[in-house]
């Protein structure tokens, strides 16, 4: 109860207004981006370019309009693209003439006749005057030679496309897992190992990521998986990120604006050191001795006196090394004691070697999930896990389809990614042969006692006939002639 109350207090204390130095997600009708609010931050989204510092102090979710590179509160009538479409239709006087098709327009287009009298210079001049998106779209409609001859459906599509193109309306949101997943996937899906939002949510669901959990994450998607887990764990759990190289990648973790209390629960450990975990008995506490300065700490290797800044820098570097060793020892202790509640793996490498090295840290009856854009690496993991006594193994393909919902025009989106990868999940057991004990033997393996039945028990004293029969049986078993 106390931990739940503390977590709720932290959630309630989150700032609801945009502050300088925080990360925000900016969205318009065409794209999304994530940016940090600073005095010098300038965002460019398509044809829009504006400063973010003017949004400081405004609440999240507010709708703003861009006017001469500055952000200002939008009018109530212009808060959405639908309002702009309606305003543009009213300004452009949409024709309701019933037309069966647009064949005559296609023929005129082939003839090379100009259909738009408004030039790009005229549009730029309207923007310089501070004209809003609806006004620009209205001017474009008025100067279109073929607009009134289009069908009703074509007119609506035309207005909507132009409103998206010239709209100056943006909305600023607080970064969440869903929004960050969409931003990073739209920008470069290969850097996320093609981990889509639906696959990420499926992994979090199957591993039961919750407040207070101790989770090990192998993150190969720029820290997005780590941030998603840390957002659920909060201040009462622990997230251990296993990383390639000497330092973890936390690009997306920073975008969450986590507090210091939450970031204190994010630990890291290199993957190359996982194989050595268990060489020494785990310790509950890590004793770090105070560093005593050497007599020559104020001199360089050549005997030259160092400045005060150099001495302070050397001392700070030494303290960082001591703190790093303490963090590694703490992470190693958690792994060795098998205190992990869940394991999630997303990597661009072969997942089977990583799975073999990390599955032993899970306790019994604990879930795990592995994502791969291809099925074949997970099939190898499935075969290995099946031989280890893992239960509940499921290999599923994630698939989510987006729909356009309009009157008489409801259909799936034509331009969408149909493949979302595969997720392999399961649950460990006491019979799991991958978890090893301290002496190196398999922990929890099934053993069969070598007991003898009463009818098969050998007599205490064997006679000569019995000895001869035993020798003959042994010779027959090894296929050796008893009388060479």
């Amino acid at each position: 109860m106390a931990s739940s109350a503390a977590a709720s207090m932290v959630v309630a204390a989150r700032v609801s207004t945009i502050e300088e130095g925080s990360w925000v997600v900016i969205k318009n009708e065409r794209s999304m981006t994530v940016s940090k609010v600073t005095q010098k931050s300038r965002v460019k989204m398509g044809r829009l370019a504006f400063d973010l510092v003017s949004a400081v102090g405004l609440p999240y979710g507010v709708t703003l309009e861009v006017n001469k590179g500055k952000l200002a509160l939008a009018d109530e009538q212009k808060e959405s693209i639908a309002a702009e479409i309606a305003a543009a239709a009213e300004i452009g006087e949409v024709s309701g003439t019933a037309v069966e098709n647009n064949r005559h327009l296609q023929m005129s287009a082939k003839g090379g006749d100009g259909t738009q009298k408004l030039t790009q210079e005229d549009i730029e001049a309207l923007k310089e005057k501070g004209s809003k998106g609806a006004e620009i779209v209205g001017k474009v409609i008025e100067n279109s030679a073929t607009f009134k001859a289009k069908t009703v459906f074509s007119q609506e599509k035309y207005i909507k496309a132009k409103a998206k193109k010239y709209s100056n309306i943006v909305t600023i949101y607080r970064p969440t897992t869903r929004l960050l997943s969409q931003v990073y996937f739209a920008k470069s899906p290969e850097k996320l190992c093609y981990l889509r939002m639906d696959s990420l949510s499926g992994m979090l669901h199957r591993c039961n990521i919750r407040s207070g959990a101790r989770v090990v994450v192998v993150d190969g998607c720029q820290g997005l998986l780590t941030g998603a887990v840390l957002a659920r764990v909060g201040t009462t759990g622990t997230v251990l990120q296993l990383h390639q190289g000497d330092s973890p990648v936390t690009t997306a973790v920073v975008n969450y604006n986590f507090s210091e209390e939450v970031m204190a629960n994010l630990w890291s450990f290199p993957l190359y050191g996982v194989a050595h975990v268990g060489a020494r008995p785990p310790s509950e506490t890590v004793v770090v001795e105070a560093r005593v300065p050497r007599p020559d700490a104020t001199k360089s290797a050549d005997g030259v006196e160092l400045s005060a800044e150099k001495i302070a820098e050397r001392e700070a570097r030494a303290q960082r090394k001591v703190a790093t060793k303490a963090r590694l020892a703490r992470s190693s202790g958690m792994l060795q004691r098998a205190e992990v509640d869940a394991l999630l793996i997303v990597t661009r490498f072969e997942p089977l070697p990583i799975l073999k090295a990390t599955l032993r840290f899970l306790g019994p009856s604990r879930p795990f999930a592995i994502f791969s854009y291809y099925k074949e690496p997970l099939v190898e993991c499935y075969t290995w896990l099946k031989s280890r006594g893992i239960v509940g193994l499921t290999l599923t393909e994630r698939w989510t389809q987006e729909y356009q919902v309009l009157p008489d025009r409801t259909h799936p989106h034509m331009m969408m990614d149909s493949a979302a990868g595969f997720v392999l999940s399961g649950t460990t057991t006491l019979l799991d042969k991958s978890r090893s004990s301290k002496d190196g033997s398999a922990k929890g393996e099934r053993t069969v006692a070598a007991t003898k039945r009463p009818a098969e028990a050998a007599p205490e004293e064997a006679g000569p006939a019995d000895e001869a029969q035993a020798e003959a049986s042994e010779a027959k078993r090894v296929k050796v002639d008893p009388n060479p």
Side-chain angles (χ1 to χ4, degrees), residues 80-245:
S80 65
I81 193 68
E84 288 204 355
I85 291 173
E90 182 179 353
I91 295 174
E93 297 180 357
V94 177
S95 173
T97 306
V99 182
E100 293 182 359
N101 52 60
N102 297 323
R103 291 181 181 176
H104 58 289
L105 301 180
Q106 296 175 2
M107 293 298 293
S108 64
K110 290 181 180 179
D113 298 332
T115 59
Q116 180 56 248
K117 302 176 182 178
L118 203 64
T119 63
Q120 187 63 33
E121 291 75 10
D122 298 334
I123 295 176
E124 293 297 331
L126 291 173
K127 291 182 179 179
E128 290 294 331
K129 292 179 181 179
S131 299
K132 298 180 180 179
E135 298 175 358
I136 297 176
V137 174
K139 290 292 184 181
V140 172
I141 293 173
E142 288 178 0
N143 289 272
S144 176
T146 59
F147 179 79
K148 294 184 179 180
K150 294 178 181 288
T151 63
V152 176
F153 286 161
S154 297
Q155 289 178 353
E156 292 179 2
K157 290 177 64 177
Y158 184 86
I159 295 173
K160 189 174 182 180
K162 296 302 180 182
K164 286 184 178 181
K165 184 177 181 179
Y166 298 109
S167 175
N168 61 342
I169 300 297
V170 297
T171 307
I172 299 180
Y173 296 98
R174 185 197 307 274
T176 61
T177 300
R178 178 180 62 85
L179 293 176
L180 291 177
S181 176
Q182 293 176 350
V183 170
Y184 279 92
F185 192 88
K187 185 178 180 181
S188 52
E190 65 278 359
K191 292 185 179 180
L192 295 185
C193 299
Y194 296 94
L195 178 66
R196 215 165 62 178
M197 179 180 59
D198 51 342
S199 301
L200 176 58
S201 62
M203 294 182 68
L204 298 176
H205 169 71
R206 290 184 178 274
C207 288
N208 191 24
I209 305 302
R210 65 199 183 278
S211 177
R214 292 163 294 190
V215 186
V216 169
V217 175
V218 181
D219 192 338
C221 49
Q222 293 192 306
L224 180 63
L225 180 63
T226 304
V229 173
L230 191 59
R232 289 196 174 194
V233 168
T235 59
T236 58
T238 303
V239 179
L240 177 57
Q241 181 182 5
L242 303 181
H243 55 84
Q244 297 285 339

Side-chain angles (χ1 to χ4, degrees), residues 20-24 34-39 41-43 52 254:
E20 186 175 354
S22 61
W23 290 85
V24 295
V34 59
S35 180
K36 189 176 183 179
V37 181
T38 61
Q39 291 287 342
S41 59
R42 186 169 180 83
V43 180
L52 270 180
V254 178

Side-chain angles (χ1 to χ4, degrees), residues 193 218 220 244 271 345-354 370-372 377:
C193 299
V218 181
Q244 297 285 339
L271 269 174
I345 300 176
V346 177
T347 177
R348 66 179 184 272
F349 305 104
E350 288 290 334
L352 184 56
I354 299 176
I370 313 164
F371 172 82
S372 177

Side-chain angles (χ1 to χ4, degrees), residues 197-323:
M197 179 180 59
D198 51 342
S199 301
L200 176 58
S201 62
M203 294 182 68
L204 298 176
H205 169 71
R206 290 184 178 274
C207 288
N208 191 24
I209 305 302
R210 65 199 183 278
S211 177
R214 292 163 294 190
V215 186
V216 169
V217 175
V218 181
D219 192 338
C221 49
Q222 293 192 306
L224 180 63
L225 180 63
T226 304
V229 173
L230 191 59
R232 289 196 174 194
V233 168
T235 59
T236 58
T238 303
V239 179
L240 177 57
Q241 181 182 5
L242 303 181
H243 55 84
Q244 297 285 339
D246 296 328
S247 58
V249 178
T250 58
T251 305
V253 176
V254 178
N255 299 148
Y256 278 86
N257 298 322
F258 287 130
S259 62
E260 295 182 359
E261 292 82 1
V262 176
M263 291 299 295
N265 296 325
L266 177 59
W267 303 355
S268 62
F269 196 80
L271 269 174
Y272 59 76
V274 170
H276 305 289
V277 174
R280 291 178 294 180
S283 58
E284 295 293 336
T285 58
V286 178
V287 179
V288 181
E289 298 180 357
R291 184 176 181 275
V292 180
R294 297 176 301 171
D296 58 346
T298 59
K299 296 182 179 181
S300 63
D302 301 332
V304 181
E305 291 288 338
L306 297 176
S307 62
E309 295 180 356
K310 291 290 185 180
I311 296 174
E313 182 180 352
R314 177 179 291 185
E315 291 293 329
R317 189 184 305 114
Q319 293 296 332
R320 285 196 298 269
K321 289 182 179 179
V322 172

